[in-house]
Amino acid sequence: MSKKLILKTAEEIEEIRKSSLLVGKTLAEIAKLIRPGISTLELDKVAHDFIKDHGAFPGFLGYHGFPNSICASVNHAVVHGLPTSNALKEGDIVSVDIGVLWNGYWGDSAYTFGIGELKEEVEKLLEETKASLYKGIEQAVVGRRIGDIGFAVQSHAESFNYGVVRELVGHGVGKNLHEAPEVPNYGRRGQGIALTEGMVLAIEPMINLGTKNVRQLKDGWTIETHDGKPSAHFEHTIAVGKNKAEVLSSFKEIEAVLSAKN
Ligand code: MG
Ligand code: MG
């Protein structure tokens, strides 16, 4: 990625927050509907219409030719899965990744949903992948480096012997969905570029129950684990802060819906 690193003004960060919060609201709509029997193609339509109804654009649609509004990656699919008409089943997990483009600024966030009762090891994979995201976010403060984020994510995930995907990384977010810098989910403390105010990053651990190795399917999009074991993915768009990162996207509405369902 030879992309430019573009620092954002406070006003721009507010625009990115707006887009990012709409992603969270859209994911909460999906949370309401997700259950055994529904297809990811149905969820795609709901997300598409919900975003459009807010006067925003589901930015993944047509992005490098991507055919849908959400990425839906089921079980051993890691990311970039294409929505299908297959019914989700009890015990499945599905990472839903959404990008919103609104007033010229992107928001990018992803959440992995469990369908009904999950195997204990899969439930734990989801929990700890989300925890690894917050470990990474803790490091996104002025004075730290990109490697500190990756180190924090990796150490947390590997303490459970999970595989940390190397081929796909987080990224800067702004007027473009993918800007510099790359934000790997692995790394060494104190390495990489220094974090400064005005940096807006998508941090997105992709964590596998088994091997870290992945491959791309012939559909040209879906990335799946090499050993067929499940993979989880959580993503927030954040702004680097002086003492604390500011999380611009939100899981609050998603989790309110999920806890009301249980
Ligand atoms: Mg995303
Ligand atoms: Mg992203």
Side-chain angles (χ1 to χ4, degrees):
M1 227 172 21
S2 59
K3 289 170 177 139
K4 255 179 89 181
L5 199 161
I6 304 159
L7 296 178
K8 278 82 189 178
T9 64
E11 291 73 23
E12 289 182 299
I13 290 172
E14 288 316 307
E15 293 296 333
I16 298 167
R17 188 198 309 274
K18 239 177 98 182
S19 301
S20 300
L21 288 177
L22 183 54
V23 175
K25 286 200 171 79
T26 310
L27 287 168
E29 289 301 303
I30 284 179
K32 287 177 192 167
L33 298 168
I34 203 160
R35 58 178 158 74
I38 198 164
S39 73
T40 50
L41 206 51
E42 291 171 81
L43 299 175
D44 178 67
K45 183 169 174 17
V46 167
H48 174 274
D49 294 350
F50 186 80
I51 294 166
K52 286 273 201 160
D53 287 347
H54 283 77
F57 185 72
F60 288 178
L61 184 61
Y63 188 81
H64 293 296
F66 191 78
N68 295 91
S69 297
I70 68 172
C71 294
S73 308
V74 179
N75 295 334
H76 60 286
V78 180
V79 286
H80 302 169
L82 300 171
T84 73
S85 55
N86 300 334
L88 292 169
K89 304 181 305 295
E90 179 94 15
D92 283 347
I93 58 170
V94 52
S95 147
V96 179
D97 192 347
I98 299 179
V100 155
L101 181 60
W102 203 3
N103 290 331
Y105 290 89
W106 286 82
D108 188 10
S109 182
Y111 198 92
T112 300
F113 296 94
I115 312 303
E117 198 78 2
L118 301 184
K119 275 194 203 163
E120 209 181 304
E121 61 174 3
V122 177
E123 184 83 59
K124 187 169 171 65
L125 174 71
L126 263 53
E127 242 168 67
E128 299 305 343
T129 301
K130 190 166 68 173
S132 77
L133 166 61
Y134 288 107
K135 294 277 178 191
I137 291 172
E138 275 174 22
Q139 298 297 317
V141 293
V142 175
R144 302 270 168 152
R145 292 178 177 270
I146 281 289
D148 293 316
I149 298 175
F151 178 82
V153 172
Q154 180 182 14
S155 337
H156 187 80
E158 289 184 349
S159 73
F160 301 96
N161 290 318
Y162 296 150
V164 177
V165 174
R166 302 294 200 275
E167 288 84 348
L168 299 122
V169 296
H171 49 90
V173 179
K175 286 185 178 169
N176 308 288
L177 174 59
H178 295 115
E179 297 183 357
E182 290 194 347
V183 186
N185 296 304
Y186 59 93
R188 291 167 62 186
R189 266 185 191 144
Q191 301 283 303
I193 62 159
L195 302 177
T196 61
E197 273 188 287
M199 277 188 177
V200 176
L201 307 174
I203 304 179
E204 51 178 315
M206 290 153 253
I207 307 295
N208 302 343
L209 188 58
T211 175
K212 67 180 189 313
N213 298 325
V214 297
R215 62 180 163 215
Q216 188 169 42
L217 292 194
K218 287 203 184 76
D219 65 17
W221 289 105
T222 314
I223 305 293
E224 64 169 31
T225 59
H226 216 276
D227 59 8
K229 291 191 177 171
S231 178
H233 175 220
F234 288 85
E235 175 178 29
H236 270 312
T237 296
I238 64 100
V240 170
K242 246 187 195 137
N243 302 306
K244 196 172 179 287
E246 218 183 320
V247 182
L248 302 175
S249 47
S250 175
F251 293 160
K252 248 184 219 147
E253 281 148 308
I254 302 166
E255 291 179 344
V257 170
L258 294 179
S259 58
K261 269 172 121 181
N262 291 326

